[in-house]
Amino acid sequence: MGGTHMRRTPAGLSALLLVLTAGGLTGCSAEGPGDTVSDFLSGWSGGDLNKVGFVTAAGAEVPAPEVQTQMRDLYGDLLDQKVTVSGTGDVKTTGDDATAPVTVKWALPGGVEWSYPSTVRLTKAKSDGWQVVWEPAMVQSELSPGDKLRLRRVAPERAAIVDANGKALFGPQKVVVIGVSPEKIKDLAQLQKDLAAAFRKVDVDVDLGTLRTRVEQSDPGAFIELVTLRRAVYDKIRTDVRPLAGTVFREETRSLAPTREFARSLLGTVDQATEEDIANSGGVLAVGDNTGHGGLQEKYDTTLRGVSGLSVVIAREAADGATEDTKLFTSEPVAGKPVKITLDTRVQNAADQALAAEKQPSSLVAIRVGDGAVLAAANGPDPGGVNTAFTGQVPPGSTFKMISAYGLLARDAITADTAVDCPKTLTVDGREFKNSHDTALGKVPFHVDFAKSCNTAFAALAPKLGSAGLQEAAGVLGLGGKWDLGVDAYTGQVSDGGTATELAAAVFGQGSTVVSPLAMAAATAGVAKGQFQAPTLVLDPAPTATPAQQLDQEAITALRSMMREVVTSGTGTALRSVPGKPVYGKTGTAEFQTGSADTHSWFVGYQGDIAFAVMVQKGGAGSEAAVPAVKRFLTALN
């Protein structure tokens, strides 16, 4: 179709609005065909063609209302789109016939413009004045009676989230959607029991509690979706679910991460758009489209998804009753752009494996010491829940002693060899502080207090650090700082140490101090490197960078030696035998609710070029849950 072109314009306003550009119809006398063309286009615009006479190509008269109805039928999906028509040349008269060239422009959804030439034919062969020859080809040259213009969306290619080397972290994988159809169900209660038992075999949690209501409210032949499983997982229960009366299945290919657990809460998923997604998309999404849900897939959905294309076709019924499409125009889709992140598949898999054995909610973050790149972000037991690894706000417990010890050493308030008493209890302004398991070490070097995690020793040293020292040490190690990883992250909030008791609690990670595992992993990486730099995750499109902060090297050297002692002879000795390079770290037991004996289990540390933080909610002491998780992580890595 000659002369067709496309450009982006603002969306149209209303149906059937045509504007005649007067300068395009020239050389017309008061009694000439130009007046009839003007009346025709004006009437078309206003929805009233009664001023114009119409005939068919064979010369039969056609009532104006009938022409109006036929035009609207031809529009099909374009009925509500704005169209403008302008004259583009002189009206040419040959005897009793005349033609007027015009340009038709449609403002299509998404700001797409479709423009093409057309011709209005006129005749006065069987009348005293000029009449418009009505034919579908006037609307578009390839239209015939009974045709309809239809819009077909052209889906763009969704880009992948890729690692630092450009390798896609998501790829096509076969899945099976398991559902039920009401008309096939014989015993709903038994079906629920059998499905629940099958899903338990593969450790998949499916809410079947609302199934009866969904069945009662659905059409008999409906496909009520229950869960989508990777093909390998489905095959494990295929013989259990396939024979059940009422089950139905649909095989698809979806873009998925390497495993179901793989950084799921951070990355998110790509699934079919829900009714809510479509309603909130402003016309961008349609039924059958895929969209990101949660994590990076949702946050960067527009970047990854690209821009849909649009085709205008003639839908024409064939002789066998089928509908055939004839393409008239296509606005090509724009493919999505990849989002590059720092995750490392090997490290992430090790992190996921480490948490797989934990029944309590748990998180693990791993960071490369050399450049601050986040290598892993794992959460369990539901990997698709909240990304607690990044956004959790929990007390750090004794892992915070790494921060306060750095502050004491950097201020020359103490050395690693200074003797500091570690009594079983210590009272500060009427509040009693005690050690885990009522430990009492007596007067021992500070590095021993650290390795054995003596709370009372740190509480006694609180005045030497002071509120200002507490804030300074936490600040230079990134806690409470402003980072931009390209995704939501909590950097922590440190106690103001405003009272003697609050300061005493704060120096060993209690009081009002709260952090995320990410924040503690970043601080640990700073200790390992001797320089704090905010962690990085999204590389492209790159967020705003944060300047690095130099640390006191003498204090850092002493602190590293103390963190090594935690593993060799302190509270983290279970890590002495892990393969690979020496492990440095600090355990933590965090009280989080007054009157409750439950505590969060923590461990922060580093091995070689990888720093990490592990937190197991209600996991007990650091050595009870977090240290075994770290051992599994480092063993898998090495």
Side-chain angles (χ1 to χ4, degrees):
M1 196 173 63
T4 299
H5 65 277
M6 180 274 287
R7 70 175 187 268
R8 302 280 169 180
T9 65
L13 299 175
S14 61
L16 302 177
L17 175 62
L18 291 96
V19 179
L20 174 65
T21 302
L25 298 173
T26 60
C28 301
S29 69
E31 303 297 329
D35 295 310
T36 302
V37 173
S38 296
D39 288 342
F40 169 56
L41 295 179
S42 177
W44 195 356
S45 171
D48 182 1
L49 297 174
N50 290 317
K51 290 184 179 180
V52 184
F54 293 92
V55 294
T56 66
E61 290 190 1
V62 186
E66 176 63 21
V67 172
Q68 189 82 51
T69 299
Q70 289 187 38
M71 291 177 69
R72 291 172 65 88
D73 287 344
L74 289 167
Y75 285 170
D77 293 340
L78 275 62
L79 183 60
D80 293 327
Q81 308 306 315
K82 178 183 176 182
V83 59
T84 62
V85 178
S86 57
T88 53
D90 296 338
V91 176
K92 295 182 179 180
T93 304
T94 306
D96 289 342
D97 298 319
T99 57
V102 297
T103 296
V104 183
K105 294 181 181 179
W106 291 91
L108 303 177
V112 175
E113 184 181 274
W114 176 34
S115 174
Y116 55 88
S118 187
T119 302
V120 177
R121 293 204 297 147
L122 304 98
T123 184
K124 61 175 182 178
K126 295 182 179 181
S127 66
D128 294 334
W130 290 95
Q131 294 178 299
V132 174
V133 178
W134 162 241
E135 53 193 348
M138 185 168 55
V139 175
Q140 201 283 328
S141 62
E142 297 185 44
L143 285 170
S144 300
D147 290 345
K148 287 187 182 294
L149 294 173
R150 295 295 186 196
L151 294 174
R152 304 286 190 241
R153 296 176 76 257
V154 184
E157 181 180 355
R158 187 179 183 90
I161 296 177
V162 301
D163 65 17
N165 296 317
K167 182 180 178 182
L169 295 174
F170 279 65
Q173 298 207 28
K174 293 182 179 180
V175 300
V176 177
V177 184
I178 301 177
V180 298
S181 180
E183 65 183 4
K184 297 178 181 292
I185 298 172
K186 295 180 179 179
D187 185 339
L188 181 57
Q190 187 61 46
L191 177 61
Q192 286 176 294
K193 292 179 182 178
D194 292 340
L195 286 171
F199 294 145
R200 280 196 297 271
K201 283 187 177 181
V202 289
D203 197 26
V204 174
D205 185 21
V206 180
D207 181 13
L208 297 173
T210 61
L211 183 56
R212 180 173 295 278
T213 301
R214 295 175 68 191
V215 168
E216 291 172 350
Q217 294 178 350
S218 299
D219 294 331
F223 186 110
I224 302 175
E225 184 173 331
L226 299 180
V227 67
T228 300
L229 301 178
R230 293 166 189 260
R231 183 76 206 203
V233 177
Y234 164 75
D235 285 343
K236 294 178 181 179
I237 59 171
R238 185 183 186 281
T239 56
D240 296 304
V241 296
R242 198 85 191 182
L244 299 179
T247 54
V248 285
F249 306 86
R250 188 171 67 234
E251 296 188 8
E252 297 178 359
T253 298
R254 294 190 181 178
S255 179
L256 301 175
T259 67
R260 180 178 181 273
E261 297 78 17
F262 192 91
R264 187 180 176 93
S265 60
L266 172 62
L267 296 178
T269 60
V270 181
D271 313 286
Q272 281 204 349
T274 64
E275 291 183 6
E276 184 178 0
D277 293 330
I278 295 169
N280 294 334
S281 72
V284 173
L285 296 175
V287 175
D289 283 352
N290 287 333
T291 189
H293 289 129
L296 292 168
Q297 288 285 6
E298 182 172 331
K299 176 157 187 177
Y300 291 92
D301 186 62
T302 300
T303 300
L304 294 163
R305 185 178 64 239
V307 180
S308 295
L310 192 67
S311 286
V312 181
V313 303
I314 295 175
R316 181 174 295 155
E317 187 172 326
D320 60 1
T323 299
E324 296 180 348
D325 283 356
T326 300
K327 188 179 296 184
L328 299 177
F329 165 77
T330 297
S331 166
E332 295 296 335
V334 179
K337 295 181 180 179
V339 173
K340 182 179 288 189
I341 64 173
T342 59
L343 285 193
D344 181 282
T345 300
R346 183 178 70 92
V347 182
Q348 182 64 49
N349 284 335
D352 291 329
Q353 293 172 27
L355 298 187
E358 292 296 336
K359 300 302 181 185
Q360 292 296 111
S362 51
S363 302
L364 190 159
V365 175
I367 293 176
R368 187 161 51 225
V369 172
D371 60 4
V374 175
L375 303 178
N379 293 279
D382 177 11
V386 176
N387 186 16
T388 305
F390 275 26
T391 63
Q393 300 182 25
V394 293
S398 289
T399 59
F400 194 82
K401 289 173 183 170
M402 177 183 69
I403 310 291
S404 51
Y406 170 76
L408 288 163
L409 293 167
R411 292 169 72 90
D412 294 327
I414 200 171
T415 70
D417 294 322
T418 301
V420 181
D421 192 20
C422 175
K424 183 169 66 174
T425 63
L426 178 73
T427 301
V428 178
D429 277 2
R431 177 180 171 182
E432 184 180 75
F433 294 92
K434 61 181 182 179
N435 298 318
S436 178
H437 306 300
D438 294 325
T439 299
L441 302 177
K443 202 163 189 177
V444 294
F446 179 54
H447 61 83
V448 176
D449 291 313
F450 183 88
K452 300 291 186 181
S453 201
C454 179
N455 294 340
T456 56
F458 273 80
L461 290 170
K464 290 183 176 291
L465 181 61
S467 176
L470 179 73
Q471 294 290 326
E472 182 181 356
V476 296
L477 285 168
L479 299 189
K482 293 182 179 180
W483 314 340
D484 186 359
L485 278 78
V487 69
D488 290 344
Y490 182 69
T491 66
Q493 179 176 328
V494 179
S495 167
D496 62 6
T499 66
T501 55
E502 175 64 22
L503 180 62
V507 293
F508 62 93
Q510 294 296 159
S512 59
T513 296
V514 287
V515 297
S516 65
L518 171 68
M520 291 306 295
T524 306
V527 171
K529 185 177 183 179
Q531 177 192 63
F532 175 79
Q533 59 187 105
T536 56
L537 175 70
V538 177
L539 298 174
D540 186 14
T544 304
T546 304
Q549 297 191 67
Q550 293 297 325
L551 302 175
D552 184 301
Q553 295 306 301
E554 186 176 345
I556 284 295
T557 299
L559 180 57
R560 290 173 185 153
S561 177
M562 292 161 61
M563 292 174 70
R564 178 60 183 156
E565 188 176 345
V566 168
V567 176
T568 58
S569 60
T571 53
T573 53
L575 299 175
R576 281 185 301 191
S577 60
V578 296
K581 296 180 178 180
V583 179
Y584 301 72
K586 182 69 189 79
T587 54
T589 305
E591 299 175 4
F592 59 90
Q593 186 175 356
T594 303
S596 173
D598 290 331
T599 55
H600 297 328
S601 178
W602 278 89
F603 188 87
V604 300
Y606 63 95
Q607 182 188 51
D609 198 34
I610 296 180
F612 48 84
V614 175
M615 189 267 294
V616 181
Q617 298 179 41
K618 297 183 180 180
S623 59
E624 294 173 350
V627 167
V630 171
K631 187 173 184 178
R632 293 192 295 270
F633 171 62
L634 296 179
T635 299
L637 262 187
N638 293 292

